[in-house]
Amino acid sequence: MKVLIAGGAGFIGSTIASCLLDNGHQPVILDNLVTGRREFCEGRPFYEGDIADTAILDRIFDEHPDVTAVVHCAALIVVPESVERPVHYYRENVAKTLEFVDHLIGKGVTRLLFSSSASIYQPGEDFTVDESSALTALSPYARTKLIVEQMLSDITAATPIKVLSLRYFNPIGSDPKMRTGLQLRSPSHALGKLIEVYREGKPFPVTGVDYPTRDGSGIRDYVHVWDLAGAHLRALEVFDTLPFENGSLAINLGTGTGTTVLEFVEAFNQVADRAVEVGHAPRRPGDSAGAYTRSSRAADLLGWRAEHSVADGIRDSLNWFAQRERILPDLSTR
């Protein structure tokens, strides 16, 4: 099949593209390169532009009329930045998605995978969630994901397009073949920050140690990005058999195991060749205690389960950072 991946030059989108290629499918990449990398698009049809640019969308569908599905990964994702710049986040993540989907419908697209987020959940007392859990987004970033899901649900009820919202937990790792990986100079998530301070020989600041978890640090469900990519592959392959309700469906993508930030640092220190010390820092604006999935829906409907461990994700990330300056030389720290 041929699949348009919006945001396909980013960390997750490029990994999905690699997974599709490895399994005989053809990704077509659309990315404005605000955070994505041109290097991740080598050997793949690539269009540089915005998801709300109707002219470039017309060109893509004129040149690739056999696109049968769309994966929408294009979004801004930094929680503290969303608190500081909410107008920017609502414009980029919500308003432009509306324009994008409207144009997809006009092109006859009926299959859309939306990259959503587990940050929209209100966790239970045990920090577990499933797809029926209460939704309470605690940051502008998370609210953009929730609003888009709600918007798409209204749209699918009235149009032929069907939307599968894949709610990611916390992606780690890299493409195991080291084709792509985390591409941000200053990563905002825990593993990116850990590797950054590890390389600089500094302590790791755990942002928030007063959460009601077993050790006071936030709790996360760390899922390997290659597993995430595999879930998208499976979703595309079985899309037409899924039990959509009024054209929409949500599926959690996580491991089902909760790992606190302090436990994550301990796992990092067991994999790395030298330990990182821990410091304490205040919670960041928009942060929450976190959650992990208790759902079996991905296994039941997609036949998918995460196969990689937290240690695998850490190890692959360290391997990626050891060579990413060769692939992305402008990110050199030397």
Side-chain angles (χ1 to χ4, degrees), residues 64-108:
H64 301 277
D66 50 343
V67 164
T68 58
V70 176
V71 177
H72 179 20
C73 299
L76 301 174
I77 63 170
V78 181
V79 170
E81 182 185 52
S82 78
V83 175
E84 297 168 359
R85 304 183 66 193
V87 171
H88 184 52
Y89 267 66
Y90 282 109
R91 179 182 297 115
E92 296 297 314
N93 291 3
V94 179
K96 289 187 177 181
T97 291
L98 179 59
E99 297 301 316
F100 181 50
V101 173
D102 185 34
H103 210 67
L104 294 180
I105 293 170
K107 293 297 180 183

Side-chain angles (χ1 to χ4, degrees), residues 6-233:
F11 171 45
I12 295 174
S14 65
T15 311
I16 294 169
S18 294
C19 184
L20 290 178
L21 282 167
D22 287 356
N23 286 274
H25 304 297
Q26 177 62 66
V28 177
I29 310 303
L30 170 63
D31 201 295
N32 60 13
L33 300 183
V34 169
T35 58
R37 298 295 305 220
R38 190 180 303 275
E39 296 90 337
F40 292 171
C41 302
E42 292 180 6
R44 306 165 186 189
F46 169 57
Y47 296 81
E48 182 178 352
D50 197 274
I51 61 171
D53 185 337
T54 57
I56 200 164
L57 289 172
D58 286 341
R59 182 183 162 206
I60 290 171
F61 282 93
D62 286 345
E63 296 179 3
H64 301 277
D66 50 343
V67 164
T68 58
V70 176
V71 177
H72 179 20
C73 299
L76 301 174
I77 63 170
V78 181
V79 170
E81 182 185 52
S82 78
V83 175
E84 297 168 359
R85 304 183 66 193
V87 171
H88 184 52
Y89 267 66
Y90 282 109
R91 179 182 297 115
E92 296 297 314
N93 291 3
V94 179
K96 289 187 177 181
T97 291
L98 179 59
E99 297 301 316
F100 181 50
V101 173
D102 185 34
H103 210 67
L104 294 180
I105 293 170
K107 293 297 180 183
V109 172
T110 58
R111 303 178 185 93
L112 175 64
L113 269 59
F114 172 58
S115 297
S116 191
S117 170
S119 63
I120 68 176
Y121 283 120
Q122 177 180 319
E125 290 185 2
D126 62 355
F127 299 103
T128 66
V129 296
D130 61 24
E131 291 84 355
S132 65
S133 295
L135 304 177
T136 306
L138 297 180
S139 69
Y141 158 71
R143 279 188 285 276
T144 67
K145 292 295 187 181
L146 179 56
I147 290 169
V148 168
E149 278 204 29
Q150 294 169 334
M151 179 177 75
L152 293 176
S153 179
D154 289 338
I155 291 170
T156 61
T159 68
I161 198 168
K162 294 181 179 179
V163 177
L164 172 59
S165 294
L166 297 174
R167 294 172 178 169
Y168 305 165
F169 281 74
N170 296 82
I172 59 173
S174 66
D175 173 0
K177 295 181 181 179
M178 298 293 122
R179 288 166 289 191
T180 60
L182 192 66
Q183 83 287 13
L184 302 179
R185 182 180 299 278
S186 298
S188 62
H189 63 59
L191 181 52
K193 288 291 186 186
L194 254 175
I195 294 175
E196 197 173 66
V197 300
Y198 159 80
R199 301 182 86 191
E200 295 171 354
K202 297 179 180 178
F204 174 69
V206 176
T207 52
V209 291
D210 56 349
Y211 292 110
T213 61
R214 53 183 169 263
D215 60 20
S217 65
I219 195 164
R220 304 286 186 266
D221 190 334
Y222 294 101
V223 57
H224 199 293
V225 69
W226 193 247
D227 285 329
L228 281 184
H232 287 73
L233 171 68

